[in-house]
Amino acid sequence: MSETVQPKQPKPVKTSHWTRGFILYAILPLVAFLLGFVPMWWKSRECSSRLPEVERQLGLARLQNDLASAAINARLGDYESARQAASDFFTYVRAETDSEAASAFSPAQRDLVLPLLTRRDEIITLLARGDPASADMLSDLYVAYCKGVGIK
């Protein structure tokens, strides 16, 4: 009788309890980390992409606020505060019109706002003298600014 030779079965690879535990404890925290990290990264990326537009709008609102503050203070007879706010407005407008790439103004807005700078010296002088006519000029300037920038 011939003996039939049976092929040797490969021995199943036994993983020790320690190895399975190590893999489990290494992968689970990684998966948990990624489950928390990916949504936060996505939200951060979305917010950072909106940041330039929000900064532009903030710059325009700051300008409007400075000019409105100057007009109101001039109406109330507080010419020094009005002069300070008007000076801040004109300084910021000049800085924004000079920085073309990072400007809060679009090119069309810049063309409409530049003529407002020609009235700077006259308005600042009237405010320094305490002239009540400066309040009307600031109000007119405010209306022209809002039309030029597209604020309603």
Side-chain angles (χ1 to χ4, degrees), residues 5-152:
V5 179
Q6 294 192 358
K8 289 187 176 180
Q9 297 285 333
K11 292 183 180 179
V13 178
K14 294 182 180 179
T15 58
S16 70
H17 179 68
W18 185 84
T19 307
R20 273 189 292 171
F22 177 75
I23 292 173
L24 185 66
Y25 287 119
I27 291 181
L28 277 178
L30 179 64
V31 169
F33 171 76
L34 289 175
L35 285 174
F37 176 76
V38 170
M40 294 307 292
W41 171 78
W42 189 264
K43 186 173 183 103
S44 170
R45 188 170 162 245
E46 184 180 302
C47 288
S48 66
S49 69
R50 290 189 320 220
L51 183 62
E53 176 60 23
V54 171
E55 287 177 336
R56 187 187 78 76
Q57 290 174 354
L58 177 63
L60 295 176
R62 177 180 165 205
L63 283 168
Q64 181 185 9
N65 187 40
D66 285 344
L67 190 52
S69 176
I72 291 169
N73 286 332
R75 288 260 181 240
L76 295 175
D78 187 3
Y79 296 107
E80 182 56 29
S81 295
R83 186 190 64 76
Q84 203 56 271
S87 178
D88 291 346
F89 168 78
F90 286 118
T91 301
Y92 194 68
V93 167
R94 173 56 67 195
E96 287 299 312
T97 55
D98 288 346
S99 66
E100 293 179 15
S103 177
F105 298 122
S106 68
Q109 289 172 332
R110 188 178 301 120
D111 293 340
L112 294 170
V113 170
L114 273 173
L116 301 179
L117 293 173
T118 60
R119 301 164 70 187
R120 178 187 191 278
D121 292 335
E122 180 184 7
I123 290 173
I124 297 294
T125 302
L126 288 174
L127 288 169
R129 291 182 187 158
D131 191 336
S134 60
D136 291 331
M137 292 183 77
L138 283 169
S139 295
D140 293 343
L141 185 66
Y142 179 80
V143 170
Y145 171 77
C146 288
K147 284 182 182 177
V149 175
I151 299 171
K152 294 178 173 122

